[in-house]
Amino acid sequence: MKSERRQLLRGLGSAALLAASPALAQAPQGRYPDPAVEVLDPSFNRYRLVLAAVERLATGFRWSEGPVWFGDQRCLIWSDIPNNRLMRWHEVDGRVDVFREPANNPNGNTRDRQGRLITCEHLTRRVTRTELDGRITVLADRFDGKPLNSPNDVVVKSDGSIWFTDPPFGVLGFYEGEMARPELPTNIYRIDGTSGQITLASGDVGRPNGLAFSPDERILYVVEAAASPRVIRAFDVGEGGRLSNNRIFFQCKDGETPDGFRLDVDGNLWCGWGMGTPELDGVRVISKEGVPIGHIHLPERCANLTFGGRHRNRLFMPASRSLYSLYVNTQGIAYG
């Protein structure tokens, strides 16, 4: 299995290094503790490492999203959507190369329980799986006989089911895909882990964006991008993936724009944040009670993030044109 995974990661895409000088890892600047890591509530102190700071790992991209950690390969893969490529950062030596190009304007990525890469593609308006031998399998591209809008974010549940959001962002212009007329409402879908059947999980969230499960998988959190300001909604998850009790978990203020997020083992949401003023750019940490407890300030707007590293205690944050990281005193839940 490990040799097959090595073949997957080495055999796909271009192995050439970025032409636009992918920055070597930069040591944290200034003194510890890093003032970029802000405590909004005393409860956040337990998650902050006073001897760790934000590092910029690479730069030279156009718009970075959808990070996914490959622990067996000690690398991070993420999307550079307008440049139509998947990028890869190597933990061992800090090297950055192109994992796949062209990549159909990819957005969200994750891994399934067999370690395969799952990708949302704007250009082809589909969700795909990269097999261990490098083949591409289409998991979803239509519903009720109509093409999907532009799958955005994706997460895999422990039962093998694949959940993804389908807002229209990739078909609204030519920057992150190709302009097209949406033919479906903006829904949340579930792909059954055994049969592969696609079902409607919810049609009650306007332009659903980032999504993730609580550690016990009893709650599904979803960003509602159509709301102004945006909100993070929560659903109770029942047997067979049935969603109920749609409610507002967190109401954003003007300028606060969550995109994607992941949860730690204590149930805190670590959310890509920004778009209003520079002071909002970075990552907002929200407790499972819906209380903002911390903020990681970045010099660029952060779209989304993931946990990685040997112990899943390193936060990887694609932010606009760059990739940042920060060690934290918690662990992300397995499979995000």
Side-chain angles (χ1 to χ4, degrees), residues 122-138:
H122 280 181
L123 184 63
T124 52
R125 302 165 71 171
R126 66 187 189 180
V127 178
T128 64
R129 181 176 66 218
T130 302
E131 308 295 347
L132 298 178
D133 62 4
R135 291 178 296 111
I136 305 296
T137 298
V138 178

Side-chain angles (χ1 to χ4, degrees), residues 53 171 176 191 226 295:
V171 297
E176 296 186 359
I191 304 173
H295 193 91

Side-chain angles (χ1 to χ4, degrees), residues 58-76:
T59 192
F61 316 106
R62 186 154 279 136
W63 180 256
S64 300
E65 288 218 34
V68 55
W69 176 251
F70 279 73
D72 49 348
Q73 299 297 321
R74 297 185 64 182
C75 73
L76 183 85

Side-chain angles (χ1 to χ4, degrees), residues 53-307:
V54 173
E55 304 172 59
R56 189 175 74 174
L57 303 179
T59 192
F61 316 106
R62 186 154 279 136
W63 180 256
S64 300
E65 288 218 34
V68 55
W69 176 251
F70 279 73
D72 49 348
Q73 299 297 321
R74 297 185 64 182
C75 73
L76 183 85
I77 291 175
W78 78 98
S79 300
D80 185 2
I81 303 176
N83 283 331
N84 194 19
R85 60 189 181 179
L86 286 165
M87 304 306 303
R88 176 172 51 185
W89 173 82
H90 299 265
E91 183 183 37
V92 173
D93 56 11
R95 181 168 48 94
V96 176
D97 59 18
V98 177
F99 175 72
R100 180 186 297 153
E101 185 180 27
N104 298 319
N105 299 112
N107 194 329
N109 297 282
T110 192
R111 295 183 85 179
D112 67 11
R113 298 296 162 132
Q114 289 72 47
R116 298 169 294 190
L117 175 67
I118 308 295
T119 301
C120 294
E121 299 178 358
H122 280 181
L123 184 63
T124 52
R125 302 165 71 171
R126 66 187 189 180
V127 178
T128 64
R129 181 176 66 218
T130 302
E131 308 295 347
L132 298 178
D133 62 4
R135 291 178 296 111
I136 305 296
T137 298
V138 178
L139 301 177
D141 60 359
R142 307 180 75 82
F143 183 73
D144 278 348
K146 300 176 182 178
L148 298 174
N149 298 316
S150 57
N152 185 283
D153 201 5
V154 60
V155 66
V156 176
K157 200 167 176 281
S158 60
D159 62 4
S161 60
I162 299 168
W163 300 64
F164 68 96
T165 55
D166 190 37
F169 304 129
V171 297
L172 297 181
F174 298 106
Y175 188 59
E176 296 186 359
E178 289 191 358
M179 188 177 294
R181 180 177 61 85
E183 298 182 41
L184 288 167
T186 58
N187 296 324
I188 304 168
Y189 296 100
R190 177 184 182 273
I191 304 173
D192 187 82
T194 302
S195 68
Q197 180 182 4
I198 305 168
T199 56
L200 175 66
S202 175
D204 298 328
V205 180
R207 296 188 172 189
N209 202 320
L211 78 170
F213 287 100
S214 61
D216 60 9
E217 298 186 331
R218 294 181 179 179
I219 300 175
L220 176 68
Y221 299 98
V222 184
V223 171
E224 183 169 23
S228 183
R230 291 187 179 187
V231 300
I232 301 175
R233 293 194 166 273
F235 293 85
D236 294 334
V237 183
E239 291 187 11
R242 289 188 295 274
L243 300 182
S244 63
N245 192 21
N246 178 6
R247 59 198 182 275
I248 293 179
F249 167 74
F250 186 83
Q251 175 64 64
C252 296
K253 299 176 182 178
D254 288 340
E256 296 180 335
T257 311
D259 189 328
F261 57 94
R262 289 294 181 256
L263 278 78
D264 64 26
V265 292
D266 290 334
N268 300 302
L269 282 70
W270 299 67
C271 310
W273 212 256
M275 219 59 142
T277 63
E279 292 75 20
L280 292 175
D281 289 346
V283 172
R284 178 64 53 89
V285 186
I286 303 171
S287 73
K288 62 183 178 182
E289 291 79 25
V291 177
I293 61 174
H295 193 91
I296 302 165
H297 294 272
L298 298 175
E300 304 176 69
R301 189 265 197 269
C302 180
N304 43 45
L305 47 86
T306 196
F307 290 89

